[in-house]
Every structure is written in C-alpha cells, then in structure tokens.
Amino acid sequence: MPLDPTRPPLPDPAQAAPAAEATAAEATAAEANRAGAGSLVRMLEVLDQFTPDLPVIRVDDLQARLGYTKSTAYRYVKALCDAGLLAQASQGRYSLGPRIVELERLMRIADPLLQAGEAVLPELAAEVPNSMVLLCSLYRDKVLCVHREGPEAIVAGGGRISILRARGLPLPLFQGAASLAILASLPAPRIRALFLQRQAEMAAAGLGKDLAAVRQRLERIRRDGQVTTVGRFNRHLAAVSVPVRSRDGSQVVGSLTRIMAADDFAGQDAERLVKRLQAGAVQLSSKLA
C-alpha cells in the first residue's frame, strides 16, 4: 500500500524506548532536585530559630520546635557548623557562627541601601538637634533597621530615652511609623496575603478588622505620603516616616524615619519635617543601582 504523505509516520519502537527512558530519568532527576531543595529549606529553618531572646539553642529544642527527627536535627546542625554558620557554644548547645560575621562585613561593603544611607543620613540627622534618623528595609515579613544617625538617646520627658534601634533589629511589621510607611506602599496582593496570614495581628495593631478597613487605612497613609506617630511606643517620643522607593520608583525598598522628643515635635513645622525626609528619600533612591 502506498504511503499517505498527509499522515505522520508511525513511531519507530526502537527509538521510542530510549525516549521513554530519557523522560523517566528526567522526571527522577527533577524529583531529586525538588527533594534536595526542600531539605535545604528545612536546614536553613534552623537559623530562623535564633533570636535576641534565644541566642543559644540546644539541638533537642531545635528538634522539638521544627518537628525533625533527632538524626535529622543533628545532621543539619553539623552541616551548618561545617559551613561556619553555627558554632558549638557548649555540649549540645549552639550559637550563630563566625561566617555570619564575615557575611555581615561583606554586606556593609556591598549593600547599596546601606551605602546610600551612610552618604545621606548624617546631614539629615544634623538638621534637627536631639533627633535620630533611621533607614529601614523590608526583609520577608520583617522591618529591619539598616542604618541610623544621631544620638544614642533622646532628651525627653525630663530624662534621656535610649532608642533601641540597632542595625539588624527587627521592628513590628504592623506598628510604628517606620513599618507603616513601608506596609502602605506594598502591592495590593501582598497586603491581602499578609491579611489572610496575620489578620489578628493587624486588628490588634488598629489597622482594621477586615480587609476593606485595612486597605482604607493604608490607602490614607499612601495618599499622605508619610506616617506620623506621637507616643506610640513611648509617650515622650514622636516619629515621622516616609517610604523609600527603588531608583525607577517601581517598588518600595524601605523607609526613612526621624525620631524626636514629642515636645520638640510640637514646636516644629510638621510639613517641613516631612518634606525634608521626602527629599532625603529621593536622594537615597537616586543612589541605588
């Protein structure tokens, strides 16, 4: 029977078998890669357990917190110790390792936001005596202090109030001017995802009990272009914060905040304070890659 040129030829059984074997091998490799990636994520979860309140952790506690088997917990801890990310503090107890310090130094050298902050913040802080200027960034669902300029303490309320805003210190995501200036500038889908995950925290922070109320509150902040709080964390202090955007303006990368005595704030031109911070935020954005 003559071949029909309009119909594709039947597959050659001799060629189909190797092709099937190759497809199966690729699927196996992909599955192994996924398993390896999952194992890496679980191992890195160990680092998330270290906090200022818990700087040293026992392996047994890691096992209980993360639900790992004892052998898995010890294997992950050993791998992190071999990489220098953990160090043994005492028998069965571990702290963050020297590699963290090395990475912190490299970050100080290479972090564009920090470099911009070191160039812009000193002059900005000096403009208003007895005040401190903070540069913060968003990391996952945490707001972190990247750089600060100004005195260690603010004279207010008849005393000196220490400002505990050291580099790397996480701030509450839903409270405080520095955090709200960032939160209000996030894309709508990100805000919705945060609400679905942490609705109770948002309500407790006064942002709203439902998504519509939260969006309305954040829209007001976004429209104002700034957040001002007085007495939020200390009744003698005030804070003014503005968002810092990427160089092309497409996304928020952080916030610029001035903290000062509430009495001093009452005697200042609030509009001028905001405009100077906004000008500083523009300077910061212009220095980002």
Side-chain angles (χ1 to χ4, degrees):
M1 176 183 293
L3 292 176
D4 183 352
T6 65
R7 299 181 61 185
L10 295 174
D12 184 346
Q15 295 178 353
E21 291 174 2
T23 301
E26 289 171 359
T28 301
E31 183 64 29
N33 287 337
R34 284 193 293 272
S39 179
L40 177 60
V41 169
R42 289 194 298 273
M43 181 172 66
L44 293 177
E45 284 178 344
V46 171
L47 299 179
D48 290 335
Q49 307 311 304
F50 291 86
T51 67
D53 295 329
L54 195 63
V56 179
I57 304 181
R58 297 167 61 246
V59 178
D60 291 346
D61 292 335
L62 287 173
Q63 176 189 349
R65 281 166 166 260
L66 298 173
Y68 299 156
T69 64
K70 191 169 186 177
S71 62
T72 296
Y74 273 96
R75 185 171 73 253
Y76 287 167
V77 167
K78 181 181 184 306
L80 291 169
C81 284
D82 290 344
L85 296 174
L86 291 184
Q88 187 168 8
S90 61
Q91 185 63 37
R93 290 160 56 85
Y94 293 84
S95 62
L96 296 178
R99 178 64 174 159
I100 302 292
V101 180
E102 185 178 6
L103 292 173
E104 160 67 8
R105 180 179 178 276
L106 291 174
M107 240 189 112
R108 284 185 173 274
I109 294 172
D111 181 9
L113 188 59
L114 173 59
Q115 298 295 313
E118 289 178 339
V120 173
L121 264 63
E123 180 180 349
L124 197 61
E127 290 180 0
V128 180
N130 194 37
S131 75
M132 174 186 295
V133 177
L134 303 179
L135 177 60
C136 297
S137 68
L138 182 67
Y139 166 67
R140 293 184 180 172
D141 293 342
K142 298 178 182 179
V143 174
L144 298 179
C145 178
V146 174
H147 186 58
R148 58 180 273 180
E149 289 285 347
E152 295 294 322
I154 303 294
V155 178
R160 293 173 57 83
I161 302 174
S162 297
I163 309 298
L164 304 178
R165 293 292 184 267
R167 172 174 164 80
L169 184 70
L171 309 179
L173 179 59
F174 306 128
Q175 299 181 56
S179 297
L180 292 178
I182 295 175
L183 184 66
S185 299
L186 293 177
R190 180 78 181 277
I191 292 172
R192 182 178 185 275
L194 284 169
F195 176 80
L196 293 176
Q197 296 165 6
R198 302 169 68 175
Q199 180 177 355
E201 291 178 65
M202 283 189 166
L207 290 177
K209 295 183 178 180
D210 55 48
L211 183 56
V214 169
R215 284 176 169 164
Q216 186 177 30
R217 172 82 170 91
L218 297 180
E219 175 57 31
R220 284 199 302 269
I221 294 174
R222 188 161 51 248
R223 189 169 56 248
D224 291 343
Q226 60 89 24
V227 183
T228 297
T229 60
V230 179
R232 184 64 186 87
F233 294 114
N234 185 300
R235 64 189 179 93
H236 297 297
L237 297 178
V240 182
S241 187
V242 301
V244 177
R245 306 195 72 84
S246 58
R247 187 165 187 170
D248 63 2
S250 63
Q251 59 184 339
V252 64
V253 297
S255 63
L256 187 60
T257 307
R258 187 183 297 279
I259 301 175
M260 59 194 302
D263 289 343
D264 293 345
F265 174 75
Q268 291 277 340
D269 181 342
E271 185 177 352
R272 183 178 182 280
L273 283 175
V274 170
K275 286 184 176 179
R276 282 300 299 129
L277 280 178
Q278 289 174 336
V282 171
Q283 281 183 278
L284 288 167
S285 297
S286 70
K287 292 181 179 296
L288 299 177

